[in-house]
Amino acid sequence: MQANQRSIALIAEMIHTASLVHDDVIDDASSRRGKHTVNKIWGEKKAVLAGDLILSAASIVLARIGNTAVTSILTQVIEDLVRGEFLQLGSKENENERFAHYLEKTFKKTASLIANSCKAVSVLSCPDPVVHEIAYQYGKNIGIAFQLIDDVLDFTSCSDQMGKPTSADLKLGLATGPVLFACQQFPEMNAMIMRRFSLPGDVDRARQYVLQSDGVQQTTYLAQQYCHEAVREIRKLRPSTERDALIQLSESVLTRDK
């Protein structure tokens, strides 16, 4: 059982790595964590194939586990990743719909991987569907919180810390949590969001609006709420060193600086 659970951890890492390789192609990114991206070194075609190869290796490991429920759970992650990319390509004109769109995209691109990996591990160790749901909800909330903090760091960290240019999301035309919160204080940002910060000076002005607003603080507070919910879920399990480690993990999500 533990060997198969470790295999799920490997599969999760491979799916994640493949998604990053493909993301860098879509975003035409030249660096990640301070190093050249695959597409920068070998070109887009080889980068796409490299990502596909990693996914195929993950599929082989998944098949070896031989559990149909686990297979179904983890293949859902790949579908969510693709749907999340499609969501990222679009935007909502209605301000009230924008945040829901942002959170749905965040779940599919980031949190689904963690939620479904946690669920898959629990399926291998316990037949109780209540435990499976606890594991899923813990992973979901941790995943959304992680991405919210990532979006905050895009405004508060320097490039050296992040290993990639800051304001990267704005340059890609993306309105993340800090931007959406800032827009409530600076309605003039609406036009910039709809044109995806494409005019000269849009990125710099949007960044200044965010830093002048409480968008960063509100996004951080929202991440804290998601982490609190993750802890509330995992506390439903009986006390153990593993449960304590998962609680501690939720705290490190909020305090990371890169």
Side-chain angles (χ1 to χ4, degrees):
M1 180 189 72
Q2 285 189 342
N4 282 338
Q5 288 177 321
R6 288 180 182 275
S7 291
I8 289 174
L10 291 171
I11 292 164
E13 287 289 355
M14 285 192 279
I15 292 174
H16 181 225
T17 301
S19 73
L20 296 182
V21 172
H22 285 160
D23 268 0
D24 288 339
V25 173
I26 293 169
D27 299 340
D28 194 26
S30 59
S31 66
R32 180 176 288 278
R33 299 300 180 196
K35 297 181 180 180
H36 289 312
T37 55
V38 178
N39 50 293
K40 171 72 172 178
I41 299 171
W42 288 293
E44 289 186 0
K45 291 181 180 178
K46 287 185 178 179
V48 170
L49 291 173
D52 291 346
L53 182 63
I54 297 167
L55 281 176
S56 68
S59 300
I60 292 170
V61 178
L62 180 57
R64 286 175 182 159
I65 292 175
N67 185 303
T68 55
V70 167
T71 300
S72 177
I73 291 166
L74 290 179
T75 51
Q76 181 64 47
V77 173
I78 298 173
E79 179 184 335
D80 284 345
L81 280 168
V82 176
R83 290 184 180 275
E85 284 294 346
F86 276 116
L87 285 171
Q88 186 163 289
L89 291 174
S91 57
K92 295 288 184 181
E93 290 189 32
N94 187 311
E95 293 175 47
N96 296 325
E97 294 178 358
R98 272 189 205 142
F99 215 93
H101 183 269
Y102 164 66
L103 288 177
E104 184 183 2
K105 183 266 296 182
T106 296
F107 169 74
K108 290 189 181 300
K109 283 201 66 179
T110 304
S112 174
L113 173 65
I114 303 174
N116 284 296
S117 298
C118 289
K119 183 177 180 179
V121 167
S122 74
V123 165
L124 289 175
S125 62
C126 175
D128 189 352
V130 173
V131 174
H132 304 164
E133 183 62 18
I134 290 170
Y136 178 87
Q137 290 298 330
Y138 170 83
K140 173 185 174 181
N141 284 286
I142 284 289
I144 293 175
F146 182 92
Q147 187 58 51
L148 288 171
I149 294 298
D150 210 60
D151 294 341
V152 164
L153 291 174
D154 197 41
F155 289 95
T156 60
S157 273
C158 66
S159 297
D160 289 341
Q161 277 180 299
M162 288 294 284
K164 61 181 179 180
T166 51
S167 300
D169 291 327
L170 288 175
K171 292 168 186 173
L172 292 171
L174 304 179
T176 57
V179 174
L180 296 176
F181 279 123
C183 189
Q184 296 172 359
Q185 292 173 257
F186 298 99
E188 52 268 43
M189 292 181 72
N190 277 310
M192 287 190 278
I193 290 172
M194 289 312 300
R195 62 176 178 257
R196 298 178 76 88
F197 314 104
S198 58
L199 293 184
D202 274 359
V203 169
D204 289 335
R205 279 199 297 145
R207 179 177 173 80
Q208 288 306 312
Y209 281 135
V210 168
L211 296 178
Q212 289 169 27
S213 74
D214 60 1
V216 164
Q217 292 87 340
Q218 287 198 63
T219 306
T220 302
Y221 176 73
L222 185 60
Q224 291 169 345
Q225 296 306 109
Y226 276 104
C227 276
H228 291 159
E229 182 61 22
V231 171
R232 192 182 72 82
E233 286 290 337
I234 209 67
R235 284 192 186 278
K236 293 176 182 177
L237 301 180
R238 66 176 181 270
S240 65
T241 54
E242 290 81 8
R243 191 190 75 165
D244 291 344
L246 291 171
I247 292 171
Q248 188 176 355
L249 177 65
S250 70
E251 296 168 358
S252 65
V253 165
L254 296 173
T255 56
R256 69 191 183 93
D257 60 3
K258 61 181 180 179

